[in-house]
Amino acid sequence: MSRYHLDHLDQLESEAIHIMREVAGQFERPALLFSGGKDSITLVHLALKAFRPGKFPFPLVHIDTGHNFQEALDFRDQLAADTGERLIVRNVADTIRDQHLSEPRGKFASRNALQTYTLLDTIQEFKFDACIGGARRDEEKARAKERIFSVRDEFGQWDPKLQRPELWNTYNGRIHKGENVRVFPISNWTELDIWHYIRREQIGLPSIYFSHEREVLEYEGQLVAMSEFIQKEPTDKISTRRVRYRTVGDMTCTAAVESNASTIDDIIHEIIATKTSERGETRIDDRVSEAAMEDRKKSGYF
């Protein structure tokens, strides 16, 4: 009798599907946070494997800052249409107006931190008790601290010193009234795992992940896409370069990398050769302070 052997990707896939089914079993009103980036697209693919031929037991939720890359927005809408799943979009601009928040100022004025207000309002609006996200532990040291089931208090805040043990793939989703849980099914995946899985499963992605020509501003060693959201100055050095994106956030806080990688195999070879994480190399907002991400997570960020 032959024994079926699970390879590395099979094991990661199996774990993620198990986690998603745990969410469906333990929570009454879950949601899947969807940005149109490769990690959230992978989550949708895993959800298809976990729940088809039935419908997802949760909607897709996008917190739109208004500074997104159009390629990601177009892909988001097409994926929702192709899967037939419910897509909820809430806009940070509406939160800024309704709560009289101050718009960030500066050359790369990012609304990234203001997403927290919109997310918490959306959780309250729909009474979500669990939000599935695509964060991975290899991305950033604050994310490396977080459990797969990460409890947020009634104010949406995270305390890294008060986390539940997770032994033998047992996940405790018990919460008090007003609390909610952020769930990260691909916590144990790496950037390279994601790309190997995308190649194996033939998952479609926005074109922004592959090499293309784009007008960029060169700033402190980073290449930032020119857009209406960037404050252009006379001394700025602007050029057209062949680039791609390792991660997709706002246009104001996500830098491109020079690249000729036009296929997934090309991208995998580039990642193997690089010595920096995708966020470490391309996310401007993470450079604000040593603990920028952890501070945002404590206040309710993804």
Side-chain angles (χ1 to χ4, degrees):
M1 182 174 65
S2 63
R3 178 178 296 176
Y4 182 69
H5 175 70
L6 293 177
D7 68 13
H8 178 60
L9 291 180
D10 291 329
Q11 292 174 10
L12 290 173
E13 178 190 72
S14 178
E15 178 187 54
I17 289 173
H18 168 68
I19 292 166
M20 285 193 168
R21 289 173 176 166
E22 281 290 305
V23 171
Q26 293 195 43
F27 298 96
E28 294 182 3
R29 290 178 172 267
L32 192 156
L33 303 179
F34 184 78
S35 66
K38 66 182 186 305
D39 298 315
S40 60
I41 291 169
T42 298
L43 286 178
V44 171
H45 183 82
L46 290 163
L48 289 169
K49 287 199 168 190
F51 303 111
R52 283 296 188 257
K55 298 284 287 184
F56 292 177
F58 40 68
L60 309 179
V61 175
H62 183 212
I63 306 301
D64 187 351
T65 63
H67 293 172
N68 298 103
F69 289 92
Q70 191 60 45
E71 295 95 328
L73 295 178
D74 291 344
F75 193 93
R76 175 201 70 186
D77 295 340
Q78 188 60 53
L79 184 63
D82 289 345
T83 59
E85 297 296 338
R86 182 185 180 195
L87 172 65
I88 296 170
V89 178
R90 289 296 180 267
N91 298 289
V92 173
D94 293 337
T95 307
I96 293 172
R97 181 196 64 228
D98 296 342
Q99 298 190 24
H100 306 290
L101 301 177
S102 298
E103 280 266 20
R105 300 180 181 276
K107 189 173 188 63
F108 304 109
S110 171
R111 290 175 172 173
N112 213 19
L114 298 182
Q115 289 181 86
T116 299
Y117 295 93
T118 310
L119 174 61
L120 296 180
D121 285 349
T122 305
I123 289 172
Q124 185 175 34
E125 177 185 356
F126 292 95
K127 302 295 188 292
F128 292 136
D129 51 4
C131 293
I132 301 169
R136 307 187 324 269
R137 288 179 176 138
D138 74 318
E139 290 180 275
E140 202 273 342
K141 58 188 178 182
R143 287 182 165 170
K145 296 179 181 180
E146 199 155 22
R147 299 289 193 265
I148 290 174
F149 272 35
S150 182
V151 178
R152 299 299 201 270
D153 66 20
E154 63 270 27
F155 302 107
Q157 297 177 329
W158 172 63
D159 186 345
K161 295 181 180 179
L162 293 176
Q163 299 194 74
R164 297 170 177 175
E166 292 179 340
L167 306 174
W168 307 292
N169 293 330
T170 300
Y171 305 105
N172 181 0
R174 294 182 64 182
I175 54 175
H176 296 102
K177 185 177 180 180
E179 295 178 336
N180 67 84
V181 175
R182 307 292 168 79
V183 181
F184 305 109
I186 57 173
S187 282
N188 293 327
W189 299 46
T190 66
E191 181 186 12
L192 196 55
D193 291 329
I194 291 290
W195 282 105
H196 278 300
Y197 188 73
I198 287 169
R199 179 176 64 180
R200 189 185 82 172
E201 300 292 309
Q202 299 181 341
I203 300 172
L205 293 173
S207 59
I208 197 170
Y209 281 108
F210 301 92
S211 180
H212 59 283
E213 288 192 347
R214 188 179 290 267
E215 189 178 48
V216 295
L217 185 155
E218 300 177 47
Y219 182 80
E220 294 185 355
Q222 294 187 307
L223 303 175
V224 185
M226 283 303 302
S227 71
E228 60 186 295
F229 312 118
I230 304 296
Q231 292 186 13
K232 183 179 176 181
E233 300 172 7
T235 56
D236 284 338
K237 185 178 179 181
I238 299 169
S239 59
T240 299
R241 308 281 276 273
R242 193 152 193 85
V243 300
R244 72 174 188 87
Y245 286 82
R246 291 180 67 185
T247 181
V248 176
D250 278 2
M251 298 182 75
T252 52
C253 65
T254 309
V257 295
E258 283 198 277
S259 173
N260 291 312
S262 58
T263 69
I264 292 178
D265 283 340
D266 293 339
I267 291 172
I268 288 173
H269 290 147
E270 276 192 357
I271 295 170
I272 291 172
T274 192
K275 295 181 179 179
T276 56
S277 72
E278 66 225 80
R279 293 192 70 96
E281 183 175 19
T282 65
R283 293 304 289 265
I284 299 169
D285 51 337
D286 287 348
R287 298 186 176 193
V288 174
S289 73
E290 186 74 13
M293 172 63 80
E294 183 162 330
D295 291 341
R296 292 202 301 273
K297 289 180 78 65
K298 285 179 180 178
S299 66
Y301 188 72
F302 304 121

